[in-house]
Amino acid sequence: EPPSPALPAGPRSRRGHIRGSRDGASYRLGSMSPEPPSSQQASLGTTPPRWLIPYLSRVQVWLYRRSDGRAGGRGAGMSNLLLTTIGRRSGNRHTVCLPFWVDPEGRRVVVASFSGAPHHPAWYHNLADRSANPTVDVQVMADRGPHLAQVLGGDDRTTIWDALVADRPFFADYQHRTERTIPLVRFVPAEAGA
């Protein structure tokens, strides 16, 4: 993968970080909503074994938090975010690093694929429990805030899925590996409403 270009000089975030298009999307000052990039294509050389994914995520979370996404904010040609949920049984906070895709309206979408495992990832079960997680915490680079998690269904899911797998065909391969329908989750800033 070629090195990321340096960020252009421009407005700074509340933490003093320069705004730019480092994660593949252009950001408006004061907004966690990106403008959709012209291309979000990505491909994976190999998929790590499922047992390794939680450990890789922990390392990515550690790096991402300490660098505001400068390390861990991109991988395999995809931009990543940190998702923090409350465990539906434990009540503990859990954070995972997930790649995201930006829909045509500029909202982030994550895929609960778990590499085509027969069961949903734990983070998905947590956010799907509205009593434990009426909102979830999403961090993209240095920006962090509460979001509503919308599990897509029907025609909305079909439209987004078709566009997403056109850019990232490995997700279609993951769907073929499992009998479950892989969920898509869209994040909307909590202040923007449903």
Side-chain angles (χ1 to χ4, degrees):
E1 179 178 319
S4 298
L7 288 175
R12 294 183 180 262
S13 72
R14 67 185 189 289
R15 289 188 173 180
H17 298 285
I18 296 173
R19 298 286 180 152
S21 61
R22 179 182 178 118
D23 69 352
S26 299
Y27 290 87
R28 296 180 295 275
L29 184 61
S31 169
M32 283 187 60
S33 297
E35 297 166 4
S38 58
S39 174
Q40 299 183 73
Q41 294 182 348
S43 61
L44 295 177
T46 59
T47 299
R50 276 187 218 115
W51 64 265
L52 187 57
I53 292 173
Y55 300 103
L56 292 174
S57 183
R58 286 184 194 124
V59 169
Q60 280 185 295
V61 167
W62 187 87
L63 289 169
Y64 200 118
R65 280 186 173 156
R66 277 144 190 85
S67 69
D68 284 334
R70 289 185 304 279
R74 283 193 65 79
M78 296 177 284
S79 298
N80 296 321
L81 58 78
L82 294 185
L83 169 66
T84 302
T85 59
I86 304 299
R88 65 192 193 287
R89 289 184 279 202
S90 70
N92 295 331
R93 293 173 59 83
H94 298 279
T95 302
V96 293
C97 189
L98 301 170
F100 67 86
W101 184 81
V102 180
D103 74 10
E105 293 164 14
R107 297 171 296 191
R108 292 178 184 86
V109 176
V110 295
V111 183
S113 66
F114 201 24
S115 300
H119 56 279
H120 297 313
W123 65 261
Y124 174 77
H125 289 292
N126 288 338
L127 73 76
D129 183 341
R130 297 287 181 212
S131 61
N133 290 282
T135 62
V136 294
D137 187 64
V138 174
Q139 180 178 342
V140 177
M141 303 303 282
D143 292 319
R144 182 177 174 179
H147 283 65
L148 301 174
Q150 301 173 335
V151 178
L152 304 183
D155 291 341
D156 195 18
R157 184 197 181 280
T158 301
T159 301
I160 296 298
W161 178 260
D162 291 345
L164 187 142
V165 297
D167 284 337
R168 300 175 180 180
F170 55 89
F171 284 121
D173 179 52
Y174 292 166
Q175 183 60 76
H176 291 300
R177 294 180 191 181
T178 184
E179 293 181 16
R180 68 184 173 94
T181 299
I182 293 177
L184 299 180
V185 180
R186 178 170 43 218
F187 297 114
V188 177
E191 66 273 3

